[in-house]
Amino acid sequence: MPPRHLADLDPEARRAAVKELGLPEFRAKQLSTHYFGRLVRDVAEMTDLPAAAREKIGADLLPHLLTPVRELSCDDGATRKALWRLHDNALVESVLMGYPDRVTACVSSQAGCGMACPFCATGQAGLTRNLSTAEIVDQVVYLAGVAASGAVAGSPPRLSRVVFMGMGEPLANYPRVIAAVRRLTSPAPDGLGLSQRHITVSTVGLVPAMRKLADEDLSVTLALSLHAPDDDLRDELVPVNQRWKVAEVLDAAWEYAARTGRRVSIEYAMIRDVNDQPWRADLLGRLLAGKLAHVNLIPLNPTPGSRWDASPKPVEREFVRRLRAAGVSTTVRDTRGQEIDGACGQLAASSVDGAEAR
C-alpha cells in the first residue's frame, strides 16, 4: 500500500501524527484546513507552516500519491478525464463532469477490477489492488480544485457530487471506501463537507457488503449495476451473479432502501441484441414496480475491439416506454467523453496497450 497520508487519518489520528513529528497539535487542523478547505495538496504551498518542518510534514503526512499521466477534456471542457500513476505504477482514472447546476466527480476505488464483467474495459483488465482511503480522497480533492479554478465553464465552481463509478468494485474495498465517504462528508476542515445524499456508491451486487452498508447510518445513494433482469443472462454479463442471484441482490437493495429511505439507482447498460429485448424491459418492470427504485439506462460506451455495442436509439426508447408504463421511474444517462475514452478503464487500457506496443 502507499505511504500514510493525512486523508487516511481521522482528526484524532491527525493530531497524534503531528505530535509524533514534534509539532503542536494545532498544526493538524492547519493541515486539514489547507487540504480539505483550500484544496491545497502540496505542502510547499502551505506557507504558514514553519519552513523547516514542511519537508518532514510532506514526507510523513502529505506524500504525493497521484502522478498525472494524461489529462484530456471534451464537451467544450465540461468533461475532464485524468489518468494517474500510483506509487507502484498501477494506473487509475477519475473524471470531472460539469453541468449548469452541479459538478460531479467520478472516482476509482481499485486499480483494475476483479468482477470480470465482459463488456467493461476495467473488468477485462483484472484487479491490480485496492486503493487506500487517501488515494480515493486525493482524486476528489484534485478534481474539486479543478472545479474551484473555474476551468469547467458554465458550471458552478464547487464540486457538489461524487460517484464511486470509476475503476473497481467499491464494496470489494469496503473499509477504505467507507472511510473515504466519511472524509468526503465530514464538515470542513475535518473533511470536504459534501452532503451524504450527493454521494453514490455503486456495486455489482456483493450482497453481504450491501447489507453491511445498510447498517452504516449513511444517507448515500446505492447504485446497483444490474444489467439484466434474468439470471441466465446476468450470469454471463455480471459473473458475481453466479454467487448471488437477481432475487437475492434485489432483496438486499430493498433492505437498503427500507433502512435508509433512499431510492436505489438501478444501473442498466443497454447492449445491442443482448439485454435490450422488449420482454426483458417488461420483466425488469415487474421486478421493480412499486419499489423505491429508479432505473438509469446507460448507452454502452463500446471498448475498442469489443463485440459489444450500444443499443439503437429506437430500441432504447421502447425499453424506456415499457419501464415507464410499468410505473418505474426511468432516465437515460447523458453520454459523456466518448472521444476521450470516457468509459471507466478505457484510458488506462489504451495507455497500457500503447506502452506494450513501444
Side-chain angles (χ1 to χ4, degrees):
M1 295 300 288
R4 180 181 70 170
H5 187 281
L6 184 81
D8 288 312
L9 309 175
D10 63 23
E12 183 179 351
R14 292 173 206 167
R15 289 191 292 272
V18 298
K19 282 183 70 176
E20 289 171 11
L21 298 179
L23 298 171
E25 284 190 11
F26 75 85
R27 295 294 184 197
K29 184 173 182 180
Q30 218 172 356
L31 289 172
S32 298
T33 298
H34 276 296
Y35 184 75
F36 289 109
R38 298 171 187 160
L39 309 176
V40 176
R41 299 165 63 242
D42 187 347
V43 72
E45 298 176 29
M46 302 178 185
T47 54
D48 57 349
L49 296 173
R54 280 182 221 155
E55 184 176 347
K56 188 166 185 59
I57 291 171
D60 280 52
L61 288 174
L62 287 166
H64 291 291
L65 299 178
L66 308 175
T67 301
V69 176
R70 297 175 69 191
E71 294 190 52
L72 303 173
S73 67
C74 66
D75 303 319
D76 295 323
T79 304
R80 296 170 174 270
K81 186 162 192 175
L83 175 67
W84 307 101
R85 190 176 303 281
L86 309 181
H87 78 288
D88 56 358
N89 289 323
L91 297 173
V92 297
E93 304 168 359
S94 42
V95 183
L96 189 68
M97 295 166 286
Y99 302 89
D101 62 338
R102 67 191 186 280
V103 179
T104 299
C106 177
V107 297
S108 296
S109 55
Q110 296 179 311
C113 183
M115 297 298 106
C117 300
F119 57 91
C120 171
T122 308
Q124 294 167 35
L127 177 65
T128 301
R129 68 169 172 86
N130 288 328
L131 299 191
S132 69
T133 296
E135 285 174 324
I136 298 168
V137 172
D138 206 37
Q139 295 173 66
V140 181
V141 172
Y142 170 79
L143 295 175
V146 172
S149 74
V152 187
S155 298
R158 186 176 188 276
L159 180 73
S160 57
R161 286 171 168 79
V162 175
V163 296
F164 285 80
M165 293 182 173
M167 298 173 71
E169 161 57 48
L171 296 190
N173 188 15
Y174 189 91
R176 298 179 185 94
V177 165
I178 296 303
V181 169
R182 298 197 186 280
R183 302 290 180 276
L184 298 179
T185 58
S186 293
D190 292 339
L192 272 183
L194 299 177
S195 167
Q196 290 185 11
R197 291 175 171 265
H198 290 170
I199 306 288
T200 297
V201 176
S202 68
T203 181
V204 294
L206 305 189
V207 168
M210 292 169 69
R211 294 198 167 117
K212 190 175 179 182
L213 183 63
D215 293 329
E216 291 286 353
D217 195 28
L218 291 170
S219 298
V220 300
T221 296
L222 177 66
L224 173 59
S225 297
L226 193 65
H227 304 312
D230 55 302
D231 286 323
D232 285 346
L233 179 58
R234 196 167 191 266
D235 283 351
E236 177 186 357
L237 295 182
V238 186
V240 76
N241 196 73
Q242 296 166 34
R243 172 62 182 83
W244 295 290
K245 298 299 186 181
V246 169
E248 191 174 1
V249 169
L250 288 177
D251 280 346
W254 308 147
E255 180 181 325
Y256 183 84
R259 293 285 298 276
T260 63
R262 303 285 291 149
R263 186 173 69 170
V264 175
S265 180
I266 303 295
E267 310 291 303
Y268 197 103
M270 293 290 289
I271 309 173
R272 181 194 293 261
D273 299 329
V274 174
N275 66 348
D276 58 0
Q277 298 87 352
W279 72 265
R280 283 197 162 96
D282 294 340
L283 175 56
L284 184 61
R286 291 194 297 273
L287 290 174
L288 304 185
K291 302 296 187 181
L292 195 59
H294 171 89
V295 174
N296 186 21
L297 293 180
I298 307 166
L300 187 72
N301 195 346
T303 58
S306 171
R307 66 185 178 92
W308 313 93
D309 200 1
S311 301
K313 287 300 175 184
V315 172
E316 180 186 281
R317 286 192 290 269
E318 177 62 10
F319 208 91
V320 171
R321 188 192 70 77
R322 287 173 177 264
L323 285 174
R324 289 178 177 167
V328 178
S329 171
T330 305
T331 54
V332 178
R333 181 185 291 178
D334 178 31
T335 54
R336 291 286 194 98
Q338 289 194 350
E339 59 267 52
I340 57 170
D341 292 329
C344 69
Q346 287 190 352
L347 192 55
S350 65
S351 295
V352 170
D353 291 346
E356 289 175 348
R358 291 192 295 274

